[in-house]
Amino acid sequence: MSEKNETSVWQGFKAFLMRGNVVDLAVAVVIGAAFTNIVNAVVKGMINPLVGAFGTQNLDTYSSCLKGPCTGTGDAATGVRILWGSVLGATLQFVITAAVVYFLMVMPMARYLARVEARRKAREGTQEIVEISELEVLKEIRDELVAQRRPQHDGVPARGDGAGYGER
């Protein structure tokens, strides 16, 4: 492989990594990993005790016996168990994570982007109005200049108000 080809591959890879979406994805993964710890702490510290008020704090212990006899735990367990408590715990973690992400990250970002877009549209709308009004003013000036250059008929100035520019 030539050095020129290695340089172009390196530059291409560097350009790929510096693209906005790759950097955004990397940031999202890091924040998501850190955020998982927070959600796990909320579930263990708040949700599980609330559930524990009605049963046990460890949702993993909730199960139903599909085919008995269901005795023992872990590798020594007999029978066929459906561990619906684990599914419930994972579902609660997912719902809490989704709610927190939506209310603390997605909604504020959507509001911010909507405000930015509204400001951009307002700026564009103001520029169009200014351009249209300037165009109208320029047309009026043009018409006024054309009217001044026309000869007067029957002693009436072309403007119609009796005032003329440059008269003393």
Side-chain angles (χ1 to χ4, degrees):
M1 200 178 227
S2 70
E3 186 169 324
K4 184 177 180 182
N5 193 16
E6 287 178 17
T7 304
S8 66
V9 169
W10 175 249
Q11 289 174 343
F13 182 67
K14 187 172 149 185
F16 169 74
L17 289 178
M18 297 313 288
R19 257 194 232 154
N21 53 0
V22 173
V23 174
D24 290 344
L25 180 61
V27 169
V29 168
V30 170
I31 289 175
F35 189 69
T36 300
N37 292 332
I38 294 171
V39 172
N40 288 338
V42 168
V43 170
K44 286 180 183 176
M46 294 172 58
I47 303 299
N48 286 350
L50 289 174
V51 172
F54 303 104
T56 178
Q57 283 192 3
N58 186 2
L59 292 177
D60 291 338
T61 61
Y62 287 112
S63 64
S64 296
C65 188
L66 187 63
K67 181 178 178 186
C70 292
T71 58
T73 59
D75 291 337
T78 61
V80 178
R81 291 182 190 228
I82 296 177
L83 303 174
W84 58 271
S86 299
V87 175
L88 179 63
T91 303
L92 284 173
Q93 280 187 317
F94 172 77
V95 169
I96 292 169
T97 303
V100 171
V101 167
Y102 180 76
F103 289 112
L104 294 182
M105 295 178 185
V106 173
M107 260 180 47
M109 183 57 82
R111 286 183 184 158
Y112 170 75
L113 293 175
R115 280 196 309 260
V116 168
E117 183 66 19
R119 286 183 195 146
R120 185 186 65 79
K121 285 184 179 180
R123 263 187 272 125
E124 286 177 359
T126 307
Q127 289 174 352
E128 288 175 14
I129 292 170
V130 169
E131 289 172 8
I132 291 171
S133 64
E134 287 177 2
L135 183 61
E136 291 299 320
V137 169
L138 289 174
K139 285 181 181 178
E140 289 178 16
I141 292 171
R142 179 199 64 199
D143 293 343
E144 200 63 38
L145 290 172
V146 168
Q148 282 181 3
R149 290 188 182 162
R150 276 194 219 135
Q152 296 180 4
H153 296 288
D154 300 329
V156 178
R159 290 185 58 201
D161 62 359
Y165 289 94
E167 294 180 4
R168 294 188 185 144

